[in-house]
Amino acid sequence: MPQNKRYIYVNAFEGLPKLTDFELITEDVPSLQSNEVLCEALYFSVDPYMRAHSNWMTEGQTMIGTQVAKIVESAHDKFPVGSLLFGDFGWQLYTVCNPGVTHSCFDRRSPQLLSDLNHFPASLSLGVLGMPGNLAYCGLLEVCKPETGEVVVVSGAGGAIGSIVGQIAKIKGCKVVGIVGSEEKMAWIQDELGFDAAINYKTSNVAEALQEAVPEGVDCYFDNVGGETSSAVIAQMNMHGRVACCGAIAIYNEDGNLPSKVTPIQLPIIAKELKIEGITGRRFAKRADESFKVLTKWLVEGKLHYKETVYGGFEKLPEALISILKGENLGKAIVRA
C-alpha cells in the first residue's frame, strides 16, 4: 500500500495563517474493508472559508478541504477503479472510505461520483461547475433577483465566485461593476469577462469610484468581502436594493477580540428598505444539478469564462491558502497533487 501524506492543523490561526500552523505527517494507508475504496487525490480546492471555519476546527485534526480524487482500489461494486470522486476528504493524498456513507471533513455529506464534464477538466468540479459556481448562480438569481437593466456590484470580483456572479449578471442584461484588489484583476474582469467597470479598492476611494461608475445607484450587491468596502457599496444602494452576503474575507484575519472599524450601515438599510441575506454553499446543495447544467451550457456557448490559479504539488497547500487570503489568486485557486 502507498504511504499517505496528510496536513494537520496544529496551531490556532492568529491573523493570517502561517506555514508553522500546519504539520505534514506520513502514515500507512489501511487495508480496504468490504464496500470501501481507496482514493488518490488529483486536485485540491483552496477557498477563503477555510480561514473562517478555523473557529470550529480542533488542533490535531486533518485540515479541512474538498478534492477531486481517483479511485485506485475498490471493494465496492458501484465504485470501480478509475472513477473520479468529489469528496470532503481534507488535506491528504489518500483516503479510504465507504462512498455510500458520509465521509467528510465537515461531517455532512458523502462522496459523489463526478458528473460528466464534457471536454472540460476535472478541476472545474471544484470551481465554476462545483460549489463556487452553484453558489454564484443560486445566490445571485435567488437572493438578489437582478432584473434587466439593473446595476449589480460584485466585491471579490476577481475570485472564484465573484467572477462567475458578474458574468451571470451580464448574461441577465445587467450593468456590472466589479471591485478587486489589483490592476491585473481589473483588466481581466473588464477585457475578458465583460464587466462594465472595475474598481481597485487598494488604489481608489471605493465610494467615489462607485459614484463615478454608476451615478444611478446600485440595485444588487453580491458581497464576498465585508468590511469598509461593503459599507461604501451599501451606502449607495437604491430603494429596495438586495444584498447577498457570501463572504467576509476582509475581516477573516482580524483579531476577534478587537472591534472591526467600519462605517455603520444601519441607516441606509432602514432608509432604503434594503434586503440583506447571508448565504452558504450548503444552502443550495440540492440545486447543484440545475446550476451544473446551466453553467455547462453557458461554458459551451462561450458566454461564461473561467480562470484557474494552479499551484503544483501537495506540499503547496498551506502556501496556496495564505496566498488566496492575500488576494493573490486570479479566478479559482487549485492545488494539483
Side-chain angles (χ1 to χ4, degrees):
M1 297 293 287
Q3 288 278 292
N4 186 33
K5 289 184 177 181
R6 180 164 62 94
Y7 272 108
I8 58 175
Y9 172 70
V10 292
N11 296 312
F13 299 147
E14 295 182 2
L16 191 70
K18 302 179 293 295
L19 296 179
T20 52
D21 292 333
F22 309 94
E23 180 183 348
L24 179 60
I25 63 174
T26 302
E27 59 192 3
D28 292 333
V29 174
S31 300
L32 297 188
Q33 304 299 313
S34 177
N35 289 326
E36 289 186 335
V37 298
L38 173 62
C39 304
E40 180 179 9
L42 299 178
Y43 299 100
F44 295 88
S45 179
V46 186
D47 304 281
Y49 76 79
M50 293 174 172
R51 175 62 181 86
H53 279 219
S54 64
N55 293 330
W56 295 277
M57 292 191 293
T58 58
E59 295 175 13
Q61 79 172 87
T62 303
M63 182 60 191
I64 62 174
T66 57
Q67 60 175 258
V68 171
K70 183 178 181 179
I71 297 178
V72 294
E73 186 177 342
S74 177
H76 198 301
D77 293 342
K78 296 182 180 179
F79 294 86
V81 170
S83 301
L84 298 184
L85 284 181
F86 168 90
D88 292 318
F89 298 146
W91 286 9
Q92 57 183 345
L93 278 177
Y94 290 95
T95 302
V96 172
C97 69
N98 180 338
V101 300
T102 298
H103 181 97
S104 165
C105 54
F106 303 105
D107 294 323
R108 70 170 184 259
R109 59 187 175 191
S110 59
Q112 303 292 319
L113 283 170
L114 229 58
S115 301
D116 181 8
L117 297 180
N118 202 329
H119 62 286
F120 297 110
S123 58
L124 262 62
S125 62
L126 300 173
V128 61
L129 297 180
M131 181 276 290
N134 181 48
L135 190 49
Y137 175 84
C138 297
L140 178 67
L141 300 184
E142 183 175 312
V143 176
C144 290
K145 294 182 170 64
E147 298 181 1
T148 300
E150 287 192 321
V151 172
V152 176
V153 174
V154 187
S155 57
I161 295 176
S163 60
I164 303 303
V165 169
Q167 293 181 82
I168 295 173
K170 287 300 300 179
I171 291 171
K172 296 299 180 180
C174 298
K175 182 176 182 179
V176 181
V177 180
I179 302 174
V180 295
S182 72
E183 299 300 308
E184 180 186 17
K185 291 179 180 180
M186 287 182 68
W188 179 50
I189 67 173
Q190 287 185 287
D191 299 342
E192 295 187 39
L193 305 188
F195 283 53
D196 296 283
I199 297 170
N200 184 343
Y201 74 90
K202 293 182 179 179
T203 59
S204 301
N205 179 295
V206 173
E208 294 176 359
L210 192 59
Q211 176 63 32
E212 181 178 348
V214 284
E216 64 270 41
V218 178
D219 300 296
C220 302
Y221 175 39
F222 198 102
D223 183 13
N224 290 301
V225 303
E228 188 61 32
T229 292
S230 293
S231 294
V233 177
I234 290 171
Q236 297 192 36
M237 296 196 71
N238 294 325
M239 286 294 297
H240 304 132
R242 291 84 70 197
V243 181
C245 292
C246 182
I249 194 170
I251 61 174
Y252 287 162
N253 296 313
E254 289 187 353
D255 185 340
N257 296 317
L258 298 175
S260 296
K261 297 180 180 179
V262 296
T263 303
I265 59 174
Q266 284 75 17
L267 287 179
I269 291 174
I270 296 168
K272 303 293 182 65
E273 299 179 6
L274 305 182
K275 172 188 175 183
I276 299 182
E277 192 169 338
I279 56 174
T280 63
R282 63 179 177 270
R283 169 175 170 177
F284 304 114
K286 293 182 179 179
R287 295 184 61 189
D289 288 343
E290 173 194 346
S291 66
F292 177 86
K293 291 176 183 177
V294 176
L295 296 172
T296 300
K297 178 176 181 290
W298 285 340
L299 282 172
V300 171
E301 294 173 346
K303 295 179 179 178
L304 196 61
H305 304 276
Y306 69 91
K307 192 177 289 291
E308 295 177 322
T309 296
V310 181
Y311 302 83
F314 175 76
E315 287 77 10
K316 293 288 187 180
L317 275 164
E319 178 185 319
L321 177 60
I322 295 168
S323 178
I324 69 162
L325 292 172
K326 293 180 178 178
E328 295 174 347
N329 60 298
L330 195 63
K332 181 73 184 81
I334 297 288
V335 172
R336 184 176 55 243

